[in-house]
Amino acid sequence: MQFLLAFIVAAPLLGSAAALLPAPPGLKGKSPEQAVLRHGVTVTGVILAAAVALTLGFDHDAPSRIQATTDISWIQALNVRIHLGVDGISLPLLLMTALLFFLCALYSYFKLPAGPSPKAFVALLLVLESGTLATFAVLDLLLFFLAFEMVLIPMYFLIARWGGAQRQAAAWKFILYTLLGSVVMLLGLLLIGLDSGTFDMVTLASDNGRELSHTTQILAVLAIGIGLAVKTPMWPLHSWLPDAHTAAPTVGSVLLAGVLLKMGTYGFVRILLPITPDGMTTFAPYLGAFAAVGIVYGSLACLALARKGNKGDLKRLIAYSSVGHMGFVLLGIASMTPTGVNGALFANIAHGLITGLLFFLVGALKDRYGTADLDTLAGATGAALYGRAPRMGAFLAFAAVASLGLPGLAGFWGEMLALFGAFDPAEGLSRPAFLTYTAVGAFGTLLTAAYLLIVVRRVCMGDPKAGPELAVADIQRYEFAAWTPLVALTVLAGLWPAVLLGLTDPAVQKLLAGGNS
């Protein structure tokens, strides 16, 4: 188990270096390009297999205990250690990350985005995977920061070199926003580590902030929270996200929504809730307010983009939907209750699966039509996917109803538990304020259903014989292989939520109790 976790974190870096080497003659296949893409599928597949083995070997009777630990002294002067481990909070995120990277590598093998060398593409993809996996596995504040920052450069180049229109501007906006947020976050992490004498997250969580003064906790939450909020992204620090999603290649959008956004909310749960509880109690009402505004703002922006005649880009619409969905995650965290935090973690996983599927589908539509403009896709009477490409239409409709939180699918449980947590927040928080946030969030679910049903009506319905004759290929085999696991897991999590909640709940209870089960 210890070796497996270390392997999962380090192997993508080794695979990235190997991707830049010349392919052995016997493995080139038809071309060197094909060889390096096959290499990407192989490495991500091995990482996924290791993550599955780690999950099977995990002691599911003790999900609150940190398992598969590695703890080695690294920088003695600062008491920084290479400390790795997983519990019921990080394990689902680790497994989902490995799955999404494998599906993206598989998809890219058959549909590589236009851009420079495939070697560079695969190498950057694997560096990105290593950084995201490390973020969910490290248990040292400075290592968390390094892993958190490690993903920025590869994602910048994936957008800037393999993206679509306006990719340079979108990539610069992405890197500037996230770097500025990270600088502030580093100051908060250093404040905690130097004030307490340790950067070890397990030790700090067990202490539950007792060694940190109230002022230190306030400053730490403010600094670290800003950096995490940018990555989440929280309204009003979200403006980099729509541009980045619109310009990014399909797999870039899938990974940005499915994995990178989860790093911010994971930081709130893993660092701020257990280490600075007094500071979080002070800022929780404000975090809840921003979350509630973000839910409604994201939904209203999507409604505006979905309206006929507004030239709304479908990728941009799904990006704004992420602002709303991550608002539910932040609202659950702001409640500081086991119910709300479990809902936030569940919503994280559901959003990664469902929105990843949506971006895959929108990317496929853009490849077929040459545009993601909703008015162009809908045409005079509707794109009529049900008639022209019925399986594509069925997948899109499924992803839409899953995203709007239909009971029986994964999207329902996270949002419901987050609202329940806000309805009865932790002691010390203003219940009238959180009741207001609950009402606003519930209203946001209605707006979410409205814009997603409009999208389904405009893209899937209509007369296939009317309007311009556009030949639309239905789902290809490689697309079916890449998308079906996301559909299956969305249904499984919706019908059997205890699988995920059974992992997260004991760990959340221990985290909120200051390390005491």
Side-chain angles (χ1 to χ4, degrees):
M1 290 283 286
Q2 183 183 24
F3 169 79
L4 274 177
L5 185 59
F7 175 80
I8 288 169
V9 172
L13 279 180
L14 300 176
S16 175
L20 298 175
L21 300 175
L27 298 177
K28 285 185 178 180
K30 296 180 180 178
S31 69
E33 291 185 3
Q34 187 185 46
V36 75
L37 293 173
R38 190 188 303 113
H39 171 79
V41 175
T42 302
V43 173
T44 54
V46 169
I47 299 301
L48 176 59
V52 171
L54 182 70
T55 304
L56 294 175
F58 186 82
D59 184 359
H60 292 263
D61 293 326
S64 62
R65 179 168 57 86
I66 301 293
Q67 302 181 35
T69 56
T70 297
D71 192 0
I72 304 170
S73 179
W74 184 33
I75 305 175
Q76 291 186 358
L78 294 176
N79 196 22
V80 177
R81 308 184 68 82
I82 298 176
H83 193 181
L84 306 178
V86 290
D87 62 359
I89 293 172
S90 53
L91 183 64
L93 290 166
L94 201 76
L95 187 60
M96 183 183 71
T97 299
L99 173 65
L100 285 175
F101 271 94
F102 171 69
L103 297 180
C104 285
L106 180 65
Y107 186 86
S108 300
Y109 179 79
F110 294 96
K111 191 69 179 178
L112 182 69
S117 164
K119 282 190 174 185
F121 178 84
V122 172
L124 289 170
L125 197 70
L126 293 174
V127 172
L128 185 65
E129 182 176 25
S130 182
T132 51
L133 289 169
T135 301
F136 301 131
V138 297
L139 295 171
D140 183 277
L141 290 179
L142 289 187
L143 279 183
F144 176 86
F145 176 78
L146 292 176
F148 199 82
E149 295 304 288
M150 184 177 169
V151 305
L152 300 185
I153 299 303
M155 181 53 73
Y156 166 81
F157 281 110
L158 287 176
I159 297 172
R161 303 302 300 274
W162 284 270
Q166 304 297 320
R167 60 181 181 268
Q168 291 289 346
W172 273 110
K173 197 170 185 179
F174 162 76
I175 200 76
L176 288 175
Y177 264 76
T178 49
L179 276 178
L180 288 174
S182 297
V183 168
V184 181
M185 184 176 76
L186 177 60
L187 296 177
L189 295 174
L190 290 173
L191 177 63
I192 291 176
L194 296 177
D195 191 89
S196 63
T198 180
F199 289 95
D200 188 80
M201 291 157 67
V202 176
T203 302
L204 290 166
S206 299
D207 185 67
N208 205 217
R210 284 182 286 270
E211 294 295 324
L212 300 174
S213 68
H214 184 71
T215 301
T216 298
Q217 292 195 35
I218 291 287
L219 293 174
V221 170
L222 183 61
I224 298 170
I226 288 173
L228 297 175
V230 170
K231 186 67 74 71
T232 297
M234 180 187 78
W235 179 91
L237 303 175
H238 68 283
S239 61
W240 62 269
L241 183 70
D243 293 337
H245 270 308
T246 304
T250 296
V251 294
S253 292
V254 170
L255 296 174
L256 189 57
V259 179
L260 267 70
L261 302 192
K262 311 301 172 285
M263 295 165 63
T265 51
Y266 174 76
F268 276 103
V269 174
R270 177 63 74 189
I271 298 173
L272 295 186
L273 281 178
I275 297 175
T276 56
D278 293 342
M280 275 297 292
T281 301
T282 301
F283 281 103
Y286 304 101
L287 180 62
F290 285 128
V293 172
I295 292 169
V296 175
Y297 171 83
S299 299
L300 290 176
C302 291
L303 274 173
L305 290 169
R307 286 181 59 189
K308 187 176 181 180
N310 279 4
K311 293 291 181 181
D313 187 284
L314 196 49
K315 286 188 75 176
R316 196 174 189 85
L317 185 149
I318 303 303
Y320 272 110
S321 78
S322 292
V323 176
H325 288 305
M326 298 312 289
F328 283 102
V329 176
L330 290 172
L331 183 59
I333 293 171
S335 74
M336 298 184 67
T337 63
T339 301
V341 176
N342 275 304
L345 294 171
F346 200 105
N348 255 346
I349 299 297
H351 179 265
L353 298 174
I354 297 167
T355 307
L357 177 61
L358 277 169
F359 275 116
F360 267 134
L361 288 161
V362 174
L365 280 174
K366 189 172 182 179
D367 290 337
R368 286 158 170 77
Y369 281 96
T371 180
D373 179 76
L374 192 53
D375 287 339
T376 304
L377 288 175
T381 64
L385 281 185
Y386 287 154
R388 290 175 173 167
R391 287 183 295 174
M392 176 80 74
F395 266 76
L396 182 60
F398 170 85
V401 297
S403 185
L404 63 83
L406 185 73
L409 298 177
F412 170 74
W413 295 106
E415 294 182 4
M416 184 196 71
L417 290 173
L419 291 175
F420 278 0
F423 183 79
D424 188 16
E427 185 179 350
L429 300 179
S430 170
R431 189 156 190 243
F434 274 86
L435 286 176
T436 304
Y437 305 154
T438 304
V440 173
F443 178 64
T445 62
L446 300 178
L447 296 178
T448 302
Y451 72 75
L452 285 167
L453 291 176
I454 289 172
V455 168
V456 171
R457 176 177 60 82
R458 297 193 65 196
V459 177
C460 295
M461 300 180 184
D463 184 0
K465 297 180 181 178
E469 289 296 328
L470 292 172
V472 183
D474 212 340
I475 294 178
Q476 306 296 306
R477 289 183 179 179
Y478 70 91
E479 293 172 330
F480 189 80
W483 303 345
T484 301
L486 300 179
V487 173
L489 289 172
T490 299
V491 174
L492 177 64
L495 295 178
W496 198 7
V499 173
L500 185 54
L501 293 174
L503 279 173
T504 61
D505 185 54
V508 168
Q509 297 276 0
K510 181 178 179 179
L511 209 65
L512 294 178
N516 301 311
S517 298

